[in-house]
Amino acid sequence: MAGRLGLCVRHSQKLLTNFRHLQASSRDILQSPTFHPHLQRTLCTTKADVQDDVKTKCVRLEERSLVQVAGSDTIPFLQGLVTNDVTCLNFENRVMYTMMLNVQGRVLYDLLMYNLQRTPDSPPYLLLECDHSVVPALIKLLKMYKIRKKVDVSSVTDEYTVWALLPGTTDPPAFVSDSGISVTDPRLPTLGNRVVLKIGTNLVFDCVEGTLEDYHTHRYKLGVAEGVNDLPPGNSLPLESNIAYLNGVSFNKGCYIGQELTARSHHTGVIRKRLMPVTLERPSSLEAGSALTSEKGKNAGKFRHAQGVHGIALVRLAHSHERLTAKVDSGEEVGMKAETPQWWPKDPQQA
């Protein structure tokens, strides 16, 4: 596999031998001031802890591609186009989640932006991760707004690969180098690490190879939308897509395309629908956009996408605790249950 990402962590047999004569209880060990905290955790590791060790899964995200934006005007150029504050994407803060909206304030593209700037004084060099199917449209849109700005926009799909490291017992390494970047996903730490590598790069990390199905299942269980299947261009509102919860918007930056509706909803509005994780009663071929119906027959939202029985849907919060149903083409009903993510605030109706 091109990019077997790796790090080995071993328990020291020598340490265990040196301390084997100690008969104190685990409580006494933890209270002893002569033990380093790492050694205390090692000595108190149980057989169950060892059995529960979970390997990190590394998944090649073939559905995601990269667009390069470089040049002296890169930051001010993107600042007027995306929802987040691009001035915060710097030499120390290497990754940012954001969206591009249309003039009506609806989501066009969800983006992860990586700063591969080599030194604090060097020109900005950003990679924009997006759904692979929208690369030509994204480049066309960026070039339309470029005008006379000193910015170079191009596809680097053939130069880099995108990976997700799904969380395991051992934290994956974070790094920035000439060969790529590895960072904690800026949306949610529980999503794991995002890794961008130059094609042909081989790094070592103690992980097992995962599949796209593993990645989508993990993401849907958390309730995080990504790509055109979950966020159909021109049909999604950023706040209903939980952009504020996922660190993808700044309400203090200057103007950007589509800002008015988003700012007004945040300052004066109430969010009555949100993208939520759903668990289907059985795998089905539900189409994206299928209407959801509550137990009392009321409109409860729209289904978006699923991997097996785990999926995501736009749900009216007033019906989020009810059993919901949707119909497949044959007319047969499929039941599902929405779940409130643990990472949401207590009042999800607040914008």
Side-chain angles (χ1 to χ4, degrees):
M1 181 185 62
R4 196 69 186 241
L5 313 173
L7 179 67
C8 291
V9 178
R10 299 187 180 91
H11 292 297
S12 174
Q13 294 298 328
K14 183 178 180 180
L15 289 174
L16 293 177
T17 302
N18 290 340
F19 291 110
R20 189 172 293 167
H21 67 281
L22 295 177
Q23 301 298 321
S25 66
S26 59
R27 179 180 178 184
D28 294 332
I29 293 175
L30 289 172
Q31 291 177 345
S32 171
T34 61
F35 285 91
H36 189 281
H38 174 71
L39 301 184
Q40 295 171 24
R41 289 194 296 270
T42 301
L43 289 171
C44 293
T45 299
T46 64
K47 183 178 181 180
D49 293 331
V50 174
Q51 291 177 340
D52 291 341
D53 181 71
V54 178
K55 293 286 188 183
T56 296
K57 287 184 179 180
C58 49
V59 181
R60 167 79 180 275
L61 301 182
E62 298 177 353
E63 299 172 349
R64 305 291 286 180
S65 294
L66 295 160
V67 172
Q68 170 192 287
V69 182
S72 58
D73 291 337
T74 295
I75 300 302
F77 169 62
L78 291 174
Q79 183 75 339
L81 298 179
V82 301
T83 57
N84 219 336
D85 188 352
V86 188
T87 62
C88 296
L89 188 66
N90 50 43
F91 191 70
E92 296 180 353
N93 182 32
R94 292 284 189 167
V95 64
M96 175 178 289
Y97 177 56
T98 189
M99 291 180 176
M100 285 189 69
L101 312 179
N102 61 20
V103 292
Q104 290 81 29
R106 294 185 177 272
V107 179
L108 286 177
Y109 315 118
D110 60 305
L111 306 171
L112 284 166
M113 303 172 66
Y114 305 93
N115 184 0
L116 269 61
Q117 190 177 13
R118 295 189 176 183
T119 67
D121 299 326
S122 61
Y125 179 82
L126 306 186
L127 296 181
L128 277 56
E129 179 195 320
C130 62
D131 191 289
H132 72 100
S133 66
V134 305
V135 169
L138 175 59
I139 292 176
K140 182 179 179 180
L141 184 64
L142 291 172
K143 287 185 175 180
M144 182 181 73
Y145 286 117
K146 175 183 173 181
I147 312 177
R148 297 181 180 178
K149 291 183 173 64
K150 297 178 181 179
V151 174
D152 175 60
V153 179
S154 61
S155 171
V156 288
T157 300
D158 297 333
E159 300 178 33
Y160 291 90
T161 56
V162 181
W163 298 76
L165 300 186
L166 306 186
T169 306
T170 304
D171 293 334
F175 65 84
V176 179
S177 69
D178 291 339
S179 60
I181 184 172
S182 172
V183 287
T184 302
D185 196 302
R187 296 169 293 182
L188 285 177
T190 46
L191 281 169
N193 268 41
R194 211 66 164 196
V195 180
V196 174
L197 295 175
K198 282 189 175 180
I199 289 179
T201 300
N202 291 309
L203 297 178
V204 182
F205 181 72
D206 188 17
C207 65
V208 294
E209 184 175 3
T211 64
L212 279 173
E213 288 75 18
D214 294 330
Y215 172 69
H216 291 314
T217 298
H218 178 66
R219 184 169 58 78
Y220 284 144
K221 284 182 178 181
L222 291 172
V224 178
E226 181 179 281
V228 296
N229 288 329
D230 303 337
L231 300 165
N235 292 312
S236 306
L237 292 173
L239 293 180
E240 290 182 350
S241 305
N242 304 317
I243 187 174
Y245 295 171
L246 295 169
N247 309 307
V249 63
S250 170
F251 297 108
N252 300 315
K253 62 176 282 186
C255 297
Y256 57 90
I257 295 174
Q259 177 202 21
E260 183 178 353
L261 178 60
T262 305
R264 186 168 66 247
S265 299
H266 172 69
H267 292 295
T268 65
V270 172
I271 306 301
R272 303 189 186 281
K273 296 180 291 182
R274 286 192 181 275
L275 286 177
M276 300 182 69
V278 293
T279 303
L280 282 65
E281 294 175 353
R282 59 179 175 82
S284 72
S285 56
L286 278 173
E287 290 188 1
S290 298
L292 301 182
T293 305
S294 70
E295 293 174 339
K296 296 183 179 180
K298 294 184 178 181
N299 179 18
K302 292 183 178 181
F303 176 78
R304 286 287 172 80
H305 208 255
Q307 180 67 55
V309 296
H310 298 287
I312 199 165
L314 184 65
V315 180
R316 291 186 179 275
L317 297 175
H319 303 297
S320 62
H321 299 294
E322 303 176 29
R323 179 180 180 269
L324 307 175
T325 57
K327 291 184 178 181
V328 296
D329 290 339
S330 63
E332 185 181 2
E333 286 190 346
V334 176
M336 66 188 75
K337 183 69 176 178
E339 302 171 19
T340 301
Q342 294 182 354
W343 49 272
W344 278 18
K346 292 182 179 180
D347 185 5
Q349 286 194 343
Q350 284 190 350

